[in-house]
Amino acid sequence: MHKMTLAQLARGLHDGEFSSLELTEHFLKRIEQYDEQLNSFITVTGETAREAAKAADARRAQGQAGLLTGLPLAHKDIFNTRGVKTSCGSRMLDNYIAPYDATVVEKMREAGFVMLGKTNMDEFAMGSSNETSFYGPVRNPWHLEYVPGGSSGGSAAAVAARLAPAATGTDTGGSIRQPAALCGVTGLKPTYGRVSRWGMIAFASSLDQGGVFGASAEDCALLLGSMAGFDERDSTSIDRTVEDYQSSLENTLEGLRIGLPKEYFAAGLDAGVAERVHAAIRHYETLGAEIRDISLPNSQLAAPVYYVVAPAECSSNLSRFDGVRFGHRCEDPKDLVDMYMRSRGEGFGDEVKRRIMVGTYALSAGYYDAYYLKAQQVRRLISNDFAAAFDEVDVIMGPTAPSPAFKIGEKSDDPIEMYLSDIYTIAVNLAGLPGMSIPVGEVDGLPVGLQLIGNYWSEARLLNIAHRYQQDTDWHLRMPDVFV
Amino acid sequence: MEWETVIGLEIHAQLATKSKIFSGASTAYGAEPNTQACAVDLGLPGVLPVLNAEVVRMATAFGLAVDAEVAPRSVFARKNYFYPDLPKGYQISQYELPIVKTGKLIIALENGEEKEIGITRAHLEEDAGKSLHEDFAGMTGIDLNRAGTPLLEIVSEPDMRSAKEAVAYMKKIHTLVQYLGICDGNMQEGSFRCDANVSVRPRGELALGTRTEIKNLNSFRFIERAIAFEVERQIDLLETGGEVVQETRLYDPDRDETRSMRSKEEANDYRYFPDPDLLPVEISADFIEKVRLELPELPDIKRQRFVTELGLSAYDAGLLTASRALSEYFEAVLAELEGEAKLVANWVSGELSGRLHKEGLEIAQCPVSASDLAGLLARVVDDTISGKIAKEVFAAMWAGEGSADEIIAAKGLKQITDTGALDALIDEIIAANPNQAEQLRAGKDKLLGYFVGQVMKATQGKANPGMVNQLLKQKLLGSGKHEGSS
């Protein structure tokens, strides 16, 4: 069953080939069997999953099942889940049982999904390798000595190893697309405002967006349809009809204009990755697409802008973790300042502290104009680059990450080197655009991802473009041998 | 040296919304601690603020009432600092782009002159919770019921030159926000409070002196005393060669002094930046017009109307318009007693207000309704009872003994207006006091009062005093038409 895509599993449930309980048990068993090696889950909710699966089977028996009723799913541990630990990968929230559900969790449960558990992630979504998690690094299913990418590394690894047929993630600077690429799965980060942020623990509010991992574009279409939509509890969510992402999957790519930004193929890109990406693009030519060279001239500014804006917002967003009302509080504080300092000092890991300090500095009196304000101005230039590009092309393509997965520990002492692994993904968040990563090959046994960037609200078109490629290829269906 | 005081006020008016500024939790005062704080107010991980539209309407109404421009676009910003009763570690406020821009307000000075006080800005923000230091033996209790309560912070120019001017300005704003219905003005509950920025400079000097900020003043009396103390402290310092340090101070009403809270060096760097969870507030010209049309009659305009249309003195008009509720009570009474503005004004600002003040009640809690008071005064107007008896009836009404007519009937207080009955009584009294009658006839006018008194005594105050006067004059002086003849 684990070799089937979500869409195939949905048909299997519908046709009575297996029950939701059987399906759920199957994945719970796989988690039990394999996750010791992968460390992709922080919490497994076996009991509630079985109950939810039974309830789903009962609904099906009464003829009340929907398309997605009874399908198992894992949530990134950044989404609040009522009654279940929601740690955000941090010691700070190791004792935190969420009292409410995130909108994404609520909507997907109502759509019929059965939650298997909560996946591992970089602490507070800050990281590109899943090494900053309080719960230890996640391992790449394709090679256990390698990172799965981050910050949604647990979700990507779990889907790649088929410990879950699908999983949610969040993407602030590439945290869905980069691990999707490194783990060889399909990942989608929607337009900013498409998916509610209510109940999703904030890292950088103006960049964070929930999204999904699946085995295929078709699966991502199913998943997105169930999680997207306006939410009055999130002022930045947008009141716009959710499209039927299934119905346009087969649309023709004849005449599709694909833009290749020269900046995404410049120095720093691994030759093997470049080769696989070009091969994928050549395949699109055979499907009738037209390739154009374009430029996103301010691309080199994306990383510096991101590493001002994101830490600035995080420094404020993470102030609520003060040991007063919830989360970690130090033992025997001698006074208020001691309580703050030790609770936060003990509760947060190094990368989180580094970003809080950078962000605090960037917002300080006397530095605000030079850093935060300037960064916001440059952010506008980066958006303008995309706007100009989308006057000429329908989709932008390039590598998702500059290299395949790297070894655990290889970059953990060099933050700048680590930050560069998001070099092609962060501009998309700064502009608020939708993006995808799909597997298009391997280099030395490690997956390579092709990034698709669309204009605002073009999720249906992106899924269509990805789906047509996957109709002709099988990179997305391959599984790491160990987990077959 | 002669010193000049310079004062600017930052007034915090709690907006009278049902729910909080960014959450659906109730703003009602006095609930058990932490029972009116939802996930958003607690700053739980993953929660987001959603702006309460009502606060935008209220701030707009205030802006219009002080002749200010209501900003077509304003932005919420985060003011970052750590404090246990500030759940998110930041307060959502407005910084660079407030909702209300420059405005002004006219205050009346003691010498009868008027003065314009500039309003720099007014912005929306959320209140913090409360830290409770008592009852927790070495610990601090946190009550987050107040966290997220909407505030309008009204910042004045440093235009006030004395504690009395500051109080006059504060009172004027207090009246205004209650007229607008945007704040209940309850100072005991902290719904209306201010911080005062105070400095002194040699008279004639243009540059401002170093200021101190006195925090959280929540009564008019405290404001006046705190400023007076602070001005004296600063002058003493400067005259003895010292320097005023820029700092935040607290007023201690028990010791009637201000004390240093924290200096400028200890002040937080608030790291303001636009809140990415909230969109800019955009207000259309149509919306502003709609709010303008819904504005109630404002106190200055109402006061003028009372003088010009109703013929009240400026003083009475001022008293009656000092609160919207009182002015509405007055108008409700007057609506049933057309043409009797002066009588009604005297009663409302005199007997009624005096009684309320004595018992510490607000007009809304007045046991005598406007309609009941109108019923009483109608009996004065139609001569059923005298003004003096009316006060007795009023007291009975206050005690809940019934309507004016019921009390007059029950107590037999109806005036004796039967000339025949009075005639006989007066003849009797004149006959019983021949000496006094003789002296009166001889020109000792003062004795008329003696006879009136005797008649009133005999009738237990129920005789119509005008009628008694007239009859006595007829009988003793042979006249009656010309009162006060000498």
Coordinates of all heavy atoms in Angstrom, one line a residue, chain B residues 18 84 127 190 196 218 290 301 303 306-307 347 362 368 373 390 415 417 462:
Chain B
K18 N -17.3 45.9 22.9 CA -17.7 44.7 23.7 C -16.6 43.7 23.7 O -16.4 43.1 24.7 CB -18.9 44.1 23.0 CG -20.2 44.9 23.1 CD -21.4 44.0 22.7 CE -22.7 44.8 22.8 NZ -22.8 45.8 21.7
P84 N 6.1 40.5 32.2 CA 5.2 39.3 32.4 C 3.7 39.5 32.0 O 3.1 38.6 31.6 CB 5.3 39.0 33.9 CG 6.7 39.5 34.3 CD 6.8 40.8 33.5
D127 N -4.1 47.2 25.3 CA -3.6 47.4 26.7 C -2.9 46.1 27.1 O -3.0 45.1 26.5 CB -4.8 47.6 27.7 CG -4.4 48.4 28.9 OD1 -3.2 48.5 29.2 OD2 -5.3 48.9 29.6
G190 N -9.8 52.6 35.6 CA -8.7 52.8 34.7 C -9.1 53.0 33.2 O -8.2 52.9 32.4
A196 N 1.7 62.4 32.2 CA 2.0 63.9 32.1 C 3.5 64.1 31.8 O 4.3 63.6 32.6 CB 1.5 64.6 33.3
N218 N -4.7 58.6 37.4 CA -6.1 58.2 37.1 C -7.1 59.0 37.9 O -8.2 58.5 38.2 CB -6.2 56.7 37.3 CG -6.1 56.3 38.7 OD1 -5.6 57.1 39.5 ND2 -6.5 55.1 39.0
K290 N -19.7 59.0 6.7 CA -20.7 58.2 7.4 C -20.6 58.4 8.9 O -21.6 58.7 9.6 CB -20.6 56.8 7.0 CG -21.7 55.9 7.4 CD -21.6 54.5 6.8 CE -22.3 53.4 7.6 NZ -21.5 52.9 8.8
I301 N -21.0 72.7 21.2 CA -22.1 73.2 20.4 C -23.4 73.1 21.2 O -24.2 74.0 21.2 CB -22.2 72.3 19.1 CG1 -21.0 72.5 18.2 CG2 -23.5 72.5 18.4 CD1 -20.8 71.5 17.2
R303 N -23.6 73.4 24.4 CA -23.5 74.5 25.5 C -24.0 75.8 24.9 O -24.7 76.5 25.4 CB -22.0 74.6 26.0 CG -22.0 75.3 27.3 CD -20.5 75.5 27.7 NE -19.8 76.4 26.8 CZ -18.7 76.2 26.2 NH1 -18.1 75.0 26.5 NH2 -18.2 77.0 25.4
F306 N -27.7 75.9 24.4 CA -28.4 76.1 25.6 C -28.4 77.5 26.0 O -29.4 78.0 26.6 CB -27.7 75.3 26.8 CG -28.1 73.8 26.8 CD1 -28.8 73.2 25.7 CD2 -27.6 73.0 27.8 CE1 -29.1 71.9 25.7 CE2 -27.9 71.6 27.8 CZ -28.7 71.1 26.8
V307 N -27.4 78.2 25.7 CA -27.3 79.7 26.0 C -28.2 80.4 25.0 O -29.1 81.2 25.4 CB -25.9 80.2 25.9 CG1 -25.9 81.8 26.0 CG2 -25.0 79.6 27.0
W347 N -33.1 73.0 38.8 CA -33.3 71.7 39.5 C -32.3 70.7 39.1 O -31.8 70.0 40.0 CB -34.7 71.2 39.2 CG -35.7 71.7 40.2 CD1 -36.3 72.9 40.1 CD2 -36.1 71.0 41.3 NE1 -37.1 73.0 41.2 CE2 -37.0 71.9 42.0 CE3 -35.9 69.8 41.9 CZ2 -37.7 71.6 43.2 CZ3 -36.5 69.4 43.1 CH2 -37.4 70.3 43.7
E362 N -23.7 58.3 39.8 CA -23.7 58.8 38.4 C -25.2 59.1 38.0 O -26.1 58.5 38.6 CB -23.1 57.8 37.5 CG -21.6 57.5 37.8 CD -20.7 58.7 37.6 OE1 -20.9 59.5 36.7 OE2 -19.8 58.8 38.4
V368 N -34.4 59.0 40.5 CA -35.6 59.7 40.0 C -35.4 59.9 38.5 O -34.4 60.5 38.0 CB -35.7 61.1 40.7 CG1 -36.8 61.9 40.1 CG2 -35.8 60.9 42.2
L373 N -39.1 63.5 37.3 CA -38.8 64.9 37.7 C -39.6 65.9 36.9 O -40.1 66.9 37.5 CB -37.3 65.2 37.4 CG -36.8 66.6 37.9 CD1 -36.9 66.8 39.4 CD2 -35.4 66.9 37.4
A390 N -41.8 71.3 46.8 CA -41.3 70.4 45.8 C -40.1 69.7 46.2 O -39.8 68.5 45.9 CB -41.0 71.2 44.5
Q415 N -51.2 72.7 47.5 CA -51.3 74.1 48.0 C -52.7 74.5 48.2 O -53.6 74.1 47.5 CB -50.7 75.1 46.9 CG -49.2 75.1 46.9 CD -48.7 76.2 46.1 OE1 -47.8 76.9 46.5 NE2 -49.2 76.4 44.9
T417 N -55.2 77.0 47.5 CA -55.4 78.1 46.6 C -56.8 78.6 46.6 O -57.2 79.4 45.8 CB -55.0 77.6 45.1 OG1 -55.7 76.4 44.9 CG2 -53.5 77.4 45.0
K462 N -48.6 74.8 53.1 CA -49.3 74.5 51.9 C -50.0 75.7 51.2 O -50.5 75.5 50.1 CB -50.4 73.4 52.2 CG -49.7 72.1 52.5 CD -50.8 71.0 52.7 CE -51.4 71.2 54.1 NZ -52.4 70.2 54.4

